[in-house]
Amino acid sequence: MTSSQLVLIVPLLLALAVPLITAYDKVPTKSAEKTDQVVVEGMVYCQSCDNYGSWSLSKAKPIAGAKVSVICKNYKKRVSFYKAFKTDETGYLFAELDGFKMGHSYLDHPLHSCRVKLVDSPLENCDVFTNVNYGITGARLRYLDKTLKRSNYEAVIYAAGPFAFRPAHCPPKPEY
């Protein structure tokens, strides 16, 4: 291609491109931005008196409306996220960590920085905290390779627990 042909083609391409660039006052954007979420799931139970003093949850019953907190700390050990969540009617916890942001490094990743703790039981006959699966001291999150994907939403789901409260008074076990 000669230089005179090139001189003719370049202005022609620019003339075609200018209306495309100026056709919009604002550059169009997607109506709904895709959001990434961190979600924690788990269960909260009332531990049976038969298993008092153990981590066993056999014969345990789910607790609807139990409160559980998610606490995340940054690499400087400062609280960067805190929120309490309630379980649903089946004792299932699905906690979306709205506002959780990873900061400095991999130390701020939810697997390293977040803990889940028991907060409150709505049952008067089953409201004593247990440390089953570290419900008192704080359970680390477990990665399950589980995601929830929708057109404008994607959530990485981590697990914690199951946790348990226990009754304040259990009848003594009969001795044989």
Side-chain angles (χ1 to χ4, degrees):
M1 190 177 277
T2 67
S3 64
S4 62
Q5 289 173 329
L6 189 58
V7 170
L8 290 175
I9 292 176
V10 170
L12 179 63
L13 290 175
L14 286 175
L16 292 173
V18 169
L20 294 174
I21 294 171
T22 59
Y24 298 103
D25 288 337
K26 294 181 180 177
V27 178
T29 59
K30 292 181 182 179
S31 59
E33 293 290 325
K34 186 175 182 178
T35 58
D36 293 333
Q37 285 285 0
V38 174
V39 173
V40 177
E41 70 175 359
M43 291 291 295
V44 179
Y45 293 97
C46 178
Q47 187 181 42
S48 166
C49 281
D50 294 344
N51 297 313
Y52 177 82
S54 74
W55 278 28
S56 174
L57 293 175
S58 66
K59 300 182 187 176
K61 293 188 171 53
I63 300 177
K67 283 187 188 173
V68 175
S69 68
V70 179
I71 305 157
C72 304
K73 294 182 179 182
N74 64 20
Y75 72 101
K76 293 180 179 179
K77 303 293 183 206
R78 294 184 183 137
V79 174
S80 60
F81 181 87
Y82 174 87
K83 190 169 181 183
F85 300 91
K86 281 189 176 184
T87 59
D88 68 8
E89 63 278 352
T90 65
Y92 175 70
L93 171 72
F94 187 84
E96 293 181 286
L97 306 190
D98 291 328
F100 174 79
K101 293 189 179 10
M102 286 198 304
H104 179 263
S105 67
Y106 76 95
L107 296 175
D108 291 337
H109 190 279
L111 285 174
H112 303 288
S113 67
C114 298
R115 301 284 184 272
V116 181
K117 294 182 179 184
L118 294 170
V119 174
D120 184 48
S121 170
L123 304 178
E124 289 182 22
N125 63 344
C126 191
D127 61 356
V128 176
F129 293 81
T130 72
N131 205 32
V132 172
N133 293 310
Y134 305 101
I136 294 175
T137 57
R140 290 178 174 255
L141 304 183
R142 295 186 313 273
Y143 180 67
L144 300 176
D145 196 19
K146 189 174 176 182
T147 57
L148 177 63
K149 294 182 182 183
R150 296 196 178 123
S151 61
N152 63 342
Y153 178 86
E154 185 172 326
V156 178
I157 300 175
Y158 298 93
F163 303 110
F165 288 93
R166 69 169 179 81
H169 301 288
C170 288
K173 293 181 183 178
E175 294 187 30
Y176 298 101

